[in-house]
Amino acid sequence: MMSKKNNFVRVRFAPSPTGPLHLGGIRTALYNYLFAKKYGGAFVLRIEDTDRKRFVPNSESYIMETLKWCQIEPDEGAGYGGDYLPYHQSKRGDIYRLYLSKLLEKGHAYYAFDTDKELEMKRKEYQNRGFTFSYNASIRMNMNNSLTMTKKKLYTKLNSGSSYVIRFKIPSGEKLKMEDMIRGNILVNTDNLDDKILLKSNGIATYHLANTIDDHLMKITHVIRGEEWLPSMSFHLLLYRAFGWSPPIFAHLPLILREDGKGKLSKRNVENLDFPIFPLQWKVPTNNTIIPGYRELGYFPEAFVNMLALLGWNPGIHGEIFSLQELINLFSLKRITKSGVYFNIKKANWFNKQYLKEKKGEIFSYLSIELQKRSISYEIDDLYKIIHLTIDRLHFVHEIWEHSFYFFISPSSYESSLFNQICHQNIIDQLENCKKSLLNISQFTSVNLRLLFQKYNKKNRYKMMQIFRLALVGTLKGTDLFMILEILGKDKSIQRIEKLMKKIREKI
């Protein structure tokens, strides 16, 4: 289904400023963005900040910066303007109270004066009888609310300044049929629903009321949100019906699960996780701990978005690497899985590796800066050769130095496991012979150097190649030995061999 009655598609991303976005939140934003762009619609950013107790400073700017980094910026909304200002729920209180009065007039909502102490006593009473207390149709007429008192008493309580909340009156005995674009048909018995609070005792509208009114007034056609909101869908549909409004089309996304099987990804205990869940770096306000995000760890935004898009959605064609425009063209809510999807950090790294292959210019710049820091001169052609040799070993730009430093810095120590084995006169003699052979090579190329080692039998050839690698690199790691020799050149290669020979002589 493209849109509601083929109207202009309007979707919204409506985060709460209660901390940084994590993978699940930014994926929700991404799917809304892809859907809107697929059908030429609008992607709206709304800040749902009615819960002031959980407000965390800098959360909103973090949300804005994340969307910008991911290149999925809204068409309208908080920070972007639009026809439905304001886009912060904390600034829309008068609007909510206006529409709430209509629900009260129609008998779809009622005042509840129950104190916290009275509610707690009821909960304990039900608990002692083996039941769970729920403020619903079966109990509401036994509670301290406007349904159980005369109008005169109600006016008296309101005029006296008594504390109250306003609850929604859930219709009883109804089998509510619902349709979700991802979950399909769902049937809910309204007797299992409680009369949720619409207006809190502090006069602030709850998420449920504000969300429903805003989606209607902002002409949202599709609500694409996380699975955690699926239990609220029935309540929201009943609210739409009570107002006499047509509801949007709903789609509830699957959870992103931890690879270790310990539940869903969550911001709780994030400091103890061994993989990132935030797109950008976050500074914990309570203790100033810095938690790195994907951006700071070296992931490309294109790779991050590509990875995230496939975390619960199948494009329906072969391949995994897609540009943002290709994701837009292929996107379909019908191809989103119902079940939770496991996050795999190795797969995230793989995605970055694929994009890295097209970023040789960035690798060149990074490596150049590292060399300048160390006052090391270099040939531009050699840098490109080194990048070509090492790029398949990299997942991130910053790894280039780790995999190439030995081209520029002679070893100061040697891997002890091999060094201790070769500390005898025979190895020095063999290295002397090899050095003479190297001196006699007119064209110091990898091809000619490879031929030089052909004179050894297979066993001795492997051993000598190990010793040469030790001399050049200091360890048994590194790229193609003969390309290392070629890039270092004859003089530097021989200097490093002589340095190893000196160390062996000192040892023996």
Side-chain angles (χ1 to χ4, degrees):
M1 186 179 295
M2 184 188 77
S3 65
K4 186 180 176 184
K5 297 180 182 179
N6 294 322
N7 289 335
F8 184 69
V9 168
R10 287 180 60 82
V11 298
R12 49 73 167 178
F13 176 52
S16 298
T18 55
L21 290 175
H22 71 4
L23 288 174
I26 192 61
R27 186 193 62 175
T28 297
L30 174 61
Y31 284 0
N32 274 278
Y33 176 90
L34 295 177
F35 188 76
K37 297 307 171 185
K38 168 91 174 190
Y39 296 108
F43 173 49
V44 180
L45 174 64
R46 189 172 70 224
I47 303 298
E48 302 198 337
D49 56 350
T50 56
D51 191 347
R52 303 308 294 175
K53 289 183 180 179
R54 296 177 60 218
F55 173 78
V56 177
N58 301 320
S59 297
E60 186 173 331
S61 60
Y62 183 96
I63 292 166
M64 305 283 198
E65 191 176 353
T66 295
L67 295 176
K68 186 174 182 179
W69 181 68
C70 292
Q71 299 169 13
I72 54 171
E73 291 190 80
D75 300 295
E76 66 176 81
Y80 293 88
D83 296 333
Y84 302 94
L85 294 167
Y87 289 92
H88 290 79
Q89 287 188 335
S90 60
K91 299 176 182 178
R92 298 173 63 83
D94 290 343
I95 298 173
Y96 306 141
R97 282 186 283 275
L98 172 64
Y99 283 94
L100 184 56
S101 65
K102 295 181 180 182
L103 289 180
L104 288 166
E105 290 171 8
K106 294 179 181 179
H108 294 303
Y110 60 93
Y111 295 92
F113 297 92
D114 314 277
T115 65
D116 291 341
K117 185 177 180 180
E118 289 171 338
L119 292 172
E120 184 59 30
M121 287 177 62
K122 277 292 182 183
R123 290 189 188 95
K124 288 183 177 179
E125 176 189 330
Y126 271 67
Q127 186 178 357
N128 292 336
R129 291 161 50 194
F131 298 104
T132 300
F133 173 73
S134 179
Y135 205 125
N136 57 20
S138 66
I139 192 70
R140 64 169 75 113
M141 298 308 294
N142 298 318
M143 302 299 289
N144 185 16
N145 57 55
S146 59
L147 299 177
T148 62
M149 60 182 67
T150 64
K151 287 185 177 180
K152 182 178 179 180
K153 184 177 180 180
L154 172 61
Y155 293 147
T156 299
K157 289 186 76 68
L158 291 174
N159 291 330
S160 68
S162 297
S163 179
Y164 66 85
V165 298
I166 297 178
R167 290 182 178 270
F168 184 70
K169 187 179 180 182
I170 296 285
S172 61
E174 182 180 341
K175 299 294 190 297
L176 183 65
K177 295 180 180 179
M178 308 186 301
E179 184 179 354
D180 184 276
M181 285 191 72
I182 297 171
R183 314 283 162 171
N185 295 321
I186 304 170
L187 189 65
V188 172
N189 187 334
T190 58
D191 287 340
N192 297 326
L193 304 177
D194 61 330
D195 291 355
K196 290 192 181 297
I197 295 173
L198 299 175
L199 189 75
K200 292 177 278 190
S201 59
N202 59 7
I204 296 177
T206 61
Y207 163 82
H208 302 288
L209 178 67
N211 166 77
T212 301
I213 293 172
D214 288 344
D215 282 347
H216 172 73
L217 296 181
M218 294 181 185
K219 302 186 186 305
I220 300 302
T221 60
H222 296 74
V223 172
I224 306 168
R225 59 190 182 184
E227 181 182 307
E228 64 271 21
W229 292 110
L230 187 58
S232 300
M233 180 179 172
S234 54
F235 179 44
H236 294 168
L237 285 173
L238 289 172
L239 268 173
Y240 273 100
R241 191 172 74 184
F243 279 121
W245 299 334
S246 296
I249 295 165
F250 287 90
H252 289 87
L253 308 175
L255 295 173
I256 300 178
L257 306 173
R258 290 174 53 159
E259 189 178 14
D260 58 12
K262 296 181 179 179
K264 67 177 183 178
L265 284 184
S266 171
K267 289 187 278 191
R268 295 179 181 177
N269 301 319
V270 65
E271 295 169 53
N272 297 322
L273 296 175
D274 57 359
F275 56 86
I277 66 168
F278 298 148
L280 311 182
Q281 177 178 283
W282 175 252
K283 184 177 182 179
V284 181
T286 54
N287 57 20
N288 291 327
T289 300
I290 301 295
I291 301 175
Y294 281 82
R295 181 179 66 180
E296 290 71 30
L297 290 171
Y299 291 82
F300 299 114
E302 309 97 303
F304 177 75
V305 166
N306 194 160
M307 174 274 293
L308 207 58
L310 298 182
L311 209 54
W313 168 72
N314 181 353
I317 63 172
H318 180 71
E320 294 181 279
I321 304 302
F322 302 104
S323 67
L324 185 58
Q325 186 58 54
E326 288 171 329
L327 290 174
I328 291 169
N329 295 340
L330 292 167
F331 190 73
S332 168
L333 290 173
K334 294 180 180 179
R335 300 199 67 86
I336 293 176
T337 181
K338 297 178 183 178
S339 56
V341 56
Y342 288 95
F343 172 75
N344 186 322
I345 188 61
K346 290 183 179 178
K347 189 66 174 180
N349 292 344
W350 178 86
F351 273 103
N352 208 65
K353 184 182 183 73
Q354 308 316 304
Y355 280 85
L356 182 65
K357 293 175 181 178
E358 305 301 320
K359 305 282 187 178
K360 291 186 176 69
E362 291 189 28
I363 301 174
F364 182 91
S365 297
Y366 183 92
L367 185 54
S368 298
I369 292 171
E370 289 299 310
L371 292 170
Q372 289 169 18
K373 286 179 184 176
R374 296 167 173 82
S375 300
I376 298 173
S377 59
Y378 59 88
E379 295 291 334
I380 291 177
D381 288 346
D382 285 344
L383 254 59
Y384 279 113
K385 287 180 183 178
I386 292 167
I387 292 169
H388 178 76
L389 281 172
T390 58
I391 196 164
D392 285 338
R393 298 165 180 258
L394 311 180
H395 288 90
F396 304 96
V397 170
H398 63 259
E399 291 177 340
I400 182 63
W401 181 251
E402 173 190 344
H403 290 277
S404 66
F405 70 92
Y406 53 83
F407 284 102
F408 312 101
I409 300 174
S410 177
S412 58
S413 61
Y414 301 95
E415 191 172 310
S416 59
S417 58
L418 179 59
F419 179 74
N420 292 333
Q421 294 177 29
I422 63 173
C423 286
H424 50 81
Q425 185 61 44
N426 183 43
I427 294 298
I428 293 177
D429 294 340
Q430 291 184 54
L431 285 172
E432 281 286 5
N433 290 330
C434 284
K435 187 178 78 169
K436 291 176 182 177
S437 299
L438 293 177
L439 286 168
N440 292 327
I441 295 178
S442 57
Q443 292 186 325
F444 207 76
T445 65
S446 60
V447 174
N448 291 337
L449 291 163
R450 200 179 301 274
L451 291 174
L452 173 64
F453 277 79
Q454 295 299 319
K455 68 180 182 180
Y456 295 100
N457 60 45
K458 189 173 183 180
K459 182 178 180 180
N460 288 336
R461 183 191 314 153
Y462 176 72
K463 185 176 181 180
M464 287 307 297
M465 287 175 65
Q466 280 190 313
I467 295 171
F468 261 63
R469 185 176 293 278
L470 190 69
L472 302 176
V473 181
T475 72
L476 297 181
K477 298 177 181 179
T479 59
D480 180 79
L481 173 64
F482 304 106
M483 284 303 302
I484 296 175
L485 284 162
E486 179 181 317
I487 292 171
L488 285 175
K490 184 183 294 187
D491 292 344
K492 288 182 180 179
S493 296
I494 290 174
Q495 287 172 10
R496 293 191 185 188
I497 293 168
E498 289 176 339
K499 186 176 180 179
L500 176 61
M501 290 166 61
K502 181 181 178 182
K503 288 287 185 181
I504 294 173
R505 288 191 182 98
E506 291 173 354
K507 180 74 174 179
I508 62 176

